[in-house]
Amino acid sequence: ATAVRITVNDQIPVSSNSQITVEAVELSNGKLNSETGLVTWDLDLKPGETKELILTYSVKYPKNQTVILE
């Protein structure tokens, strides 16, 4: 019955190949570390409150390459 402060961590892929780019599209106001791909949200939630976090990204790569996202 009390408010809580939580930190949520997630990650987007990071490419080591300069021909492959990963771009964050939507992070729901999360903070992105572009070197590691780590996305962090610091949330204050009231009792019974729910929060939906959206994380989307796009990957662009040459047609002659195969990309595996894990």
Side-chain angles (χ1 to χ4, degrees), residues 5-70:
R5 180 169 180 86
I6 64 169
T7 299
V8 178
N9 294 313
D10 205 339
Q11 188 171 17
I12 64 172
V14 176
S15 174
S16 59
N17 183 332
S18 63
Q19 295 181 326
I20 301 172
T21 60
V22 179
E23 180 180 316
V25 176
E26 172 62 45
L27 299 178
S28 296
N29 294 318
K31 297 174 188 166
L32 172 64
N33 179 325
S34 58
E35 290 185 20
T36 64
L38 183 67
V39 182
T40 304
W41 294 268
D42 292 314
L43 305 172
D44 292 309
L45 297 176
K46 298 174 185 161
E49 181 181 11
T50 61
K51 183 79 173 182
E52 180 177 337
L53 302 174
I54 299 170
L55 174 70
T56 56
Y57 58 88
S58 67
V59 179
K60 296 179 183 176
Y61 58 94
K63 289 183 181 183
N64 63 344
Q65 291 188 349
T66 302
V67 174
I68 299 171
L69 297 174
E70 295 179 359

